[in-house]
Amino acid sequence: MTTSINYEDKIPNNVDLSSDRRLQRALEGWQPKFMNWWGEMGPALETHGVYLRTAVSVGRDGWAHFDHVNVPDYRWGIFLAEPKPDRRIAFGEHKGQPVWQQVPGEYRADLQRLIVIQGDTEPASVEQQKLLGLTAPSLYDLRNLFQVNVEEGRHLWAMVYLLHAYFGREGREEAEALLVRNSGSPDSPRILGAFNEETADWLAFYMFTYFTDRDGKYQLGTLKESAFDPLSRTCEFMLKEEAHHMFVGTTGVDRVVARSAQLIREHDTLDIGKHGGIPLDIIQKYINFHYTVSLDLFGSETSTNAANYFTAGLKGRWMEERRKDDHQLTEHGVPLDRPNADGTWTTEELSALLALNLDLRGEYISDCQSGIKRWNKILADADLEYRFALPHVGFNRNVGMHAGFHITPDGSIVDEATWQKGSKNWLPTNEDLAFVRSLMHPVYERGKIASWVAPPTNGINGKPFDYEYVYFH
Ligand code: BYC
């Protein structure tokens, strides 16, 4: 395995693709299908060059090169993090054994399933964001959207490489199917719920990149622990790119909150809609929605799938190697609050092995709290009393033990009528969505920005905010 990336190849890669002609031909056969999919399902806006970063190495420093690129000419490639010499399995029943360079027969189906689910999310998000280029609030934001999109495309390549290289014919068929399913399609939707939701406006985009990309961070973090070394190394490098996507979300919401706070101060009212801002209660409803559909991505609180993946060494815990236990989860119990039909909660104790989805979700929730904290600080610094909060973990859930219950943001189990009455205060209504959409107009003049969002504090790669991030001719 070489670590430098060869851009002379049709498919840039650091996996020495040219030494395996069959694999290279198979991937070169998939490439035009990917390009067709990109043309049909990728960004709707045509441009003449976007200031994008492209990976040029996988090392610690200087891994990315920035330049204006015609988006369809972006060099999607296959990049794995450098191998760790003598890497050992860190958990499960094979703990201490050398990691696998090939897929063990008994784990083939499970590994393929995990890779397909991961792969399915990547093109789905590009599809969800297809129309956003028509209404970006600034050239800086437009550039960030395209950066996220091309890298999600590259993450699809990352999973397709694994399917082609290690899963034979079935893997190749799954790689084709990844381009056939489409976000929101009634006939062949994407696999996970959140990836069939619309990302119809830029507040939704910032929320998606904050909350849903953050699920990506945690899921990739657990796959990075995998005993299947090519998957581990793939995810390690994907996480590097993923950091920017979450930055777009974090700072995007920061900037909306900052602008709303400014308008509230300026006009001395929370009702800033008529002044071109997004009211804080609508922002809270967006938080409620995007956070809870993202919680669904962690699966059920008790999961034999997750237990089996862990025991087999396929999927570890977040920061597995930093955990101070036996890495086999034979001992500890985990408390879980379960809702009851009579409106009460019962605390029960679960075995840690069955509660792995819950464990990962817990890590995710505390990370999400840090966003709430920073957005509340923006409000406090503007001397406003309003505060954002994450809703109760059972609110608006469709997967796991809360599904089928009506649970309010403060954690009360309520009946259908109470839910119907309250939900317009908790989740974006059609009017809220239409209002936010009404603010979305493209602002494509250098240095200009839409009314509803503050400019960023810094530009990209040391460039100023008023840099020409996107060329239109
Ligand atoms: N929707 O044992 P359970 C990202 C199914 S995001 C629909 O509770 P398990 C990105 C499940 O398949 C990260 N179905 O779940 C972000 C199972 O079905 P079967 C994506 C669901 O398996 C932004 C049954 O329910 N990566 O990268 O422990 C932009 C019982 O399941 C859902 C991954 O997810 C759902 N939400 O956990 C771009 C990592 N949840 O087998 C990219 C790979 C569960 O009974 N995936 N089901 O037919 C996994 O690790 C696991 O499959 C899951 C589910 C965490 C998703």
Side-chain angles (χ1 to χ4, degrees):
M1 294 263 174
T2 57
T3 53
S4 65
I5 292 174
N6 187 354
Y7 271 91
E8 299 304 309
D9 288 344
K10 217 165 158 188
I11 303 170
N13 71 88
N14 71 345
V15 294
D16 203 9
L17 195 55
S18 57
S19 71
D20 186 340
R21 293 280 169 200
R22 259 178 78 120
L23 176 60
Q24 187 179 23
R25 268 202 304 275
L27 284 165
E28 285 178 1
W30 188 81
Q31 192 172 32
K33 296 175 188 166
F34 169 82
M35 290 310 298
N36 281 344
W37 166 82
W38 182 269
E40 259 178 61
M41 303 307 291
L45 182 76
E46 269 186 54
T47 52
H48 282 88
V50 179
Y51 189 66
L52 294 177
R53 73 174 181 193
T54 304
V56 286
S57 103
V58 295
R60 207 171 275 275
D61 310 306
W63 62 274
H65 171 73
F66 287 78
D67 209 348
H68 282 88
V69 177
N70 189 21
V71 179
D73 299 334
Y74 186 80
R75 304 301 312 277
W76 285 280
I78 299 161
F79 314 129
L80 273 60
E82 301 195 28
K84 295 190 181 64
D86 195 32
R87 182 174 167 242
R88 302 270 158 169
I89 301 172
F91 59 95
E93 66 185 1
H94 307 294
K95 182 173 177 298
Q97 295 172 12
V99 291
W100 316 317
Q101 299 307 328
Q102 291 298 330
V103 178
E106 73 257 51
Y107 301 138
R108 197 179 171 84
D110 279 346
L111 269 173
Q112 185 176 305
R113 178 176 182 274
L114 286 170
I115 292 168
V116 166
I117 294 179
Q118 180 62 47
D120 192 70
T121 63
E122 315 289 359
S125 68
V126 176
E127 293 163 358
Q128 289 170 295
Q129 294 160 17
K130 179 179 174 64
L131 298 176
L132 290 175
L134 304 175
T135 57
S138 71
L139 290 182
Y140 164 91
D141 288 282
L142 185 60
R143 175 263 165 218
N144 282 345
L145 169 72
F146 287 139
Q147 184 70 61
V148 168
N149 288 166
V150 293
E151 284 171 352
E152 300 301 7
R154 205 201 68 70
H155 293 177
L156 169 62
W157 268 97
M159 292 300 123
V160 164
Y161 164 71
L162 294 176
L163 289 170
H164 272 239
Y166 297 98
F167 294 89
R169 196 182 141 169
E170 263 186 62
R172 289 193 294 277
E173 286 170 4
E174 289 289 5
E176 304 269 312
L178 286 169
L179 298 176
V180 172
R181 284 185 295 273
N182 285 147
S183 177
S185 157
D187 305 326
S188 60
R190 292 296 175 184
I191 298 171
L192 300 175
F195 295 90
N196 289 306
E197 300 286 349
E198 280 192 332
T199 310
D201 62 67
W202 276 78
L203 181 58
F205 175 62
Y206 296 147
M207 293 288 173
F208 182 95
T209 42
Y210 187 85
F211 288 110
T212 308
D213 276 273
R214 195 166 304 271
D215 168 54
K217 167 182 163 183
Y218 283 87
Q219 299 292 349
L220 291 172
T222 63
L223 296 176
K224 181 174 87 101
E225 303 290 341
S226 183
F228 178 43
D229 203 41
L231 175 62
S232 164
R233 291 171 52 210
T234 300
C235 291
E236 185 172 340
F237 188 64
M238 287 163 74
L239 277 164
K240 217 172 209 176
E241 291 167 318
E242 200 65 35
H244 174 70
H245 306 186
M246 285 176 296
F247 162 88
V248 169
T250 310
T251 56
V253 180
D254 284 358
R255 290 162 51 213
V256 179
V257 174
R259 177 63 178 155
S260 296
Q262 187 188 24
L263 287 168
I264 292 167
R265 302 274 319 165
E266 218 170 283
H267 299 281
D268 198 20
T269 173
L270 284 175
D271 187 14
I272 51 171
K274 53 181 174 292
H275 303 294
I278 303 181
L280 300 179
D281 61 336
I282 294 187
I283 299 176
Q284 175 67 58
K285 291 187 207 179
Y286 270 64
I287 291 173
N288 290 350
F289 175 77
H290 287 273
Y291 171 62
T292 54
V293 297
S294 302
L295 287 178
D296 278 347
L297 295 172
F298 289 86
S300 311
E301 289 75 9
T302 52
S303 169
T304 47
N305 283 344
N308 293 338
Y309 297 154
F310 184 85
T311 305
L314 311 184
K315 188 179 174 191
R317 285 171 295 172
W318 180 250
M319 298 286 170
E320 183 66 47
E321 283 167 68
R322 292 202 203 155
R323 306 261 186 149
K324 303 240 175 317
D325 57 28
D326 65 356
H327 301 278
Q328 284 168 336
L329 300 181
T330 47
E331 286 161 22
H332 303 285
V334 177
L336 173 70
D337 288 330
R338 191 179 281 283
N340 299 315
D342 66 359
T344 59
W345 295 86
T346 310
T347 304
E348 56 185 59
E349 186 153 321
L350 285 180
S351 87
L353 193 57
L354 276 179
L356 282 165
N357 287 345
L358 188 64
D359 179 82
L360 190 63
R361 196 179 75 190
E363 299 285 343
Y364 169 81
I365 291 173
S366 46
D367 196 351
C368 290
Q369 283 291 0
S370 65
I372 297 294
K373 207 167 142 197
R374 64 186 283 150
W375 303 325
N376 281 339
K377 181 163 187 311
I378 296 172
L379 297 180
D381 289 348
D383 277 335
L384 299 181
E385 276 170 23
Y386 192 100
R387 293 292 179 268
F388 298 114
L390 292 179
H392 186 273
V393 72
F395 172 72
N396 190 39
R397 297 294 308 284
N398 288 303
V399 173
M401 66 180 185
H402 305 103
F405 287 89
H406 291 310
I407 299 171
T408 63
D410 66 6
S412 313
I413 303 169
V414 296
D415 59 19
E416 173 79 28
T418 316
W419 171 263
Q420 289 303 344
K421 229 166 83 197
S423 65
K424 63 177 183 304
N425 301 319
W426 304 325
L427 290 169
T429 61
N430 287 339
E431 292 79 56
D432 295 333
L433 295 170
F435 168 72
V436 175
R437 228 173 281 186
S438 76
L439 294 177
M440 301 291 133
H441 299 291
V443 180
Y444 294 160
E445 256 176 275
R446 280 176 69 168
K448 294 274 166 63
I449 188 132
S451 65
W452 54 270
V453 59
T457 21
N458 297 303
I460 294 295
N461 193 33
K463 302 284 184 218
F465 171 63
D466 65 3
Y467 182 66
E468 194 170 4
Y469 288 106
V470 181
Y471 298 149
F472 283 96
H473 36 83

